[in-house]
Amino acid sequence: VLLASQACVAYLSSSFVFGIGHAERPIPTFLVIEVVAFVAYLVAVEIVRRSAPRPSHFVIVVAVAIACRAVLAPGGMIQEVDAYRYVWDGQAVLQGANPYVLAPQQAHEAGTAPAVHPSAAVEHVFARIGYPDVPTIYPPVAQGLFALGQALTPWRLGGWQLLVFAAEALAVVLLAAALLHLGRPLAWTIVYAWSPLALKELANSLHLDAFVVLGLAGLVYAVLRGRLLAAFVALAWITMLKLFAVALVPVVAAYAWRCNPRRAVWGIAVFVALICLAYAPWARAGGKLFEGLLVFARLWQRNDSLFSLVSAVAGEYARPICGVLIVAVVTAASQAVFRAPDRMRALAGSLVVVVAIFLLAPTSNPWYFTWSLPFLVLFPSRALLLLSGLLFLYYAEFHFIYRDQPERFDLVRVFEYVPFYMVLVLELWQARRAGRPGWRV
């Protein structure tokens, strides 16, 4: 059923042509297909959770995961254009330009790299870049990956698509190794490998977060194996892909300090050194280095959850208030790990931080929630798995925007988040009654 649903998504993608036929786009049909896929996914996860482990289960998980991604590969991206910014930035790096200095629109108008040689391919990519007047928001490791993708297939997405597939495959390998170390069934990788959210946002939409997931899988494996230095290297990798991942450092540092203070200090030093080393080649951008990111942090707001409630009460102070709340969650998670250092507690604390950032952020794009999936392989919370499916309702907003009815999405957002909070409260209550700590949902 899952494989058939992804074949339908690939077929349907031909109806999502950039710039034309917005009102005719079959978004409701797409959502129905994803509902079918998600139900099949939940049933499969429950079967794996309740069945006696067999080697054949893992083989089936891997085979279907590869097949789903294979059928999605020829299709087009549905309602997403971020990958075209990756192409532009990658070409800028390869041509010796600094993507932090000039926004794509400035480079295009001035005829500077990467638009030195105008062509149909350049125009095709430029026309599809979202917010071309804003400089890149992506940190240095992301820029290196963009450049590698463009070195493979200049001005096309094929190389990037191949890299995303490789990142997902390596993530599954690391998660399988982590499960093997814990003595758990390898088939539990199904939580990530068959996730409709991962299939849509990574395999279809080709978001950079595939490499974040890879880094988080590496973090999970490193913490479980006690490889503290490797854990900080993984954190540096993730942070240089998406900067707000720095929020995970205090949790891991608290665990590392209680295990071995000297290794913790070395780990933090390596983390800082890697960040500085990554940014060094781009330092000539000066104050522009974080210009795009600051614009994103200050102005973007979409599909938000708790942030919208805070905003309704606090107005313009919502962003700093939610920032303080995130710091509070990070502090609480770090203290909990410091008081009772345990590898599983450290990973559960990291999951709590990832989810808190997602729920409190002013921009809660569905692909950001893929960050939770490597942790859910170990902590398969039904509430969080449910949210991974409910987030598909994000795409309903486009249906209403194309009909000049954006206000109707406010009601849809209620159905997107309220069932999750209800199940989460129930899940935590049941955990308390059973005498389990809430972070082990």
Side-chain angles (χ1 to χ4, degrees):
V1 172
L2 184 70
L3 180 57
S5 70
Q6 299 313 298
C8 291
V9 168
Y11 175 78
L12 203 65
S13 68
S14 62
S15 300
F16 291 80
V17 180
F18 179 81
I20 63 173
H22 290 165
E24 290 74 40
R25 290 183 175 182
I27 295 175
T29 304
F30 164 71
L31 292 176
V32 170
I33 293 172
E34 292 296 358
V35 167
V36 173
F38 185 66
V39 171
Y41 166 69
L42 288 183
V43 171
V45 169
E46 284 300 315
I47 290 174
V48 166
R49 288 174 64 161
R50 295 170 185 241
S51 300
R54 297 178 183 174
S56 60
H57 290 172
F58 180 59
V59 174
I60 293 171
V61 167
V62 171
V64 174
I66 292 174
C68 286
R69 286 159 175 81
V71 300
L72 285 171
M77 293 182 292
I78 293 178
Q79 292 295 138
E80 297 297 339
V81 294
D82 281 4
Y84 290 103
R85 168 73 78 152
Y86 308 163
V87 171
W88 187 273
D89 281 5
Q91 282 294 329
V93 173
L94 290 179
Q95 295 182 34
N98 191 326
Y100 299 102
V101 174
L102 292 182
Q105 187 168 318
Q106 294 173 306
H108 184 264
E109 291 174 353
T112 58
V116 175
H117 304 292
S119 67
V122 173
E123 295 303 318
H124 176 85
V125 170
F126 176 75
R128 287 159 174 75
I129 296 175
Y131 307 100
D133 57 327
V134 178
T136 189
I137 65 172
Y138 300 108
V141 168
Q143 298 298 330
L145 291 169
F146 300 158
L148 178 57
Q150 284 307 289
L152 295 173
T153 54
W155 292 108
R156 292 183 289 118
L157 291 172
W160 181 253
Q161 191 173 38
L162 181 63
L163 292 178
V164 168
F165 178 83
E168 288 205 89
L170 287 173
V172 171
V173 170
L174 287 169
L175 292 172
L179 290 169
L180 190 64
H181 180 71
L182 289 173
R184 296 186 182 181
L186 296 182
W188 283 21
T189 52
I190 194 174
V191 172
Y192 171 73
W194 284 22
S195 169
L197 185 68
L199 290 170
K200 165 63 180 75
E201 304 303 345
L202 307 183
N204 172 261
S205 297
L206 304 177
H207 283 294
L208 172 65
D209 301 75
F211 298 92
V212 177
V213 168
L214 171 60
L216 289 170
L219 176 66
V220 167
Y221 180 73
V223 170
L224 290 177
R225 293 298 303 270
R227 309 281 178 80
L228 299 180
L229 188 59
F232 282 102
V233 171
L235 283 173
W237 167 271
I238 301 163
T239 304
M240 287 296 90
L241 293 168
K242 294 287 181 78
L243 276 180
F244 55 85
V246 73
L248 293 173
V249 174
V251 178
V252 177
Y255 172 69
W257 182 267
R258 290 301 306 273
C259 291
N260 188 319
R262 184 175 180 179
R263 291 171 68 192
V265 171
W266 271 108
I268 293 172
V270 167
F271 173 83
V272 173
L274 289 174
I275 299 298
C276 293
L277 187 64
Y279 268 112
W282 311 107
R284 64 183 184 275
K288 290 181 172 291
L289 200 56
F290 301 103
E291 181 180 331
L293 190 64
L294 290 174
V295 170
F296 174 83
R298 188 174 65 252
L299 301 179
W300 260 248
Q301 182 177 350
R302 190 161 209 171
N303 200 47
D304 45 318
S305 174
L306 295 178
F307 180 85
S308 61
L309 299 179
V310 177
S311 182
V313 176
E316 61 183 281
Y317 300 103
R319 290 175 191 268
I321 289 173
C322 285
V324 170
L325 290 174
I326 290 172
V327 170
V329 171
V330 172
T331 302
S334 302
Q335 288 178 339
V337 172
F338 188 82
R339 286 194 301 267
D342 173 81
R343 59 185 182 175
M344 296 300 284
R345 185 183 288 267
L347 294 175
S350 300
L351 171 60
V352 169
V353 169
V354 166
V355 174
I357 291 174
F358 181 84
L359 296 176
L360 287 165
T363 303
S364 299
N365 293 321
W367 50 96
Y368 297 167
F369 197 69
T370 59
W371 291 38
S372 69
L373 294 176
F375 299 108
L376 293 182
V377 171
L378 304 182
F379 310 103
S381 160
R382 288 185 173 88
L384 296 177
L385 289 175
L386 174 63
L387 181 57
S388 75
L390 292 172
L391 286 172
F392 278 106
L393 290 174
Y394 159 89
Y395 290 98
E397 182 177 16
F398 296 102
H399 177 77
F400 294 119
I401 288 174
Y402 297 153
R403 286 159 178 76
D404 297 320
Q405 302 170 328
E407 69 283 351
R408 291 196 174 188
F409 184 66
D410 291 338
L411 179 60
V412 175
R413 204 143 46 99
V414 171
F415 290 99
E416 183 180 7
Y417 287 112
V418 170
F420 155 69
Y421 286 114
M422 294 173 64
V423 175
L424 180 64
V425 169
L426 176 62
E427 194 169 49
L428 293 174
W429 178 73
Q430 290 176 337
R432 180 177 291 273
R433 284 193 62 187
R436 301 194 311 272
W439 50 267
R440 285 196 189 278
V441 298

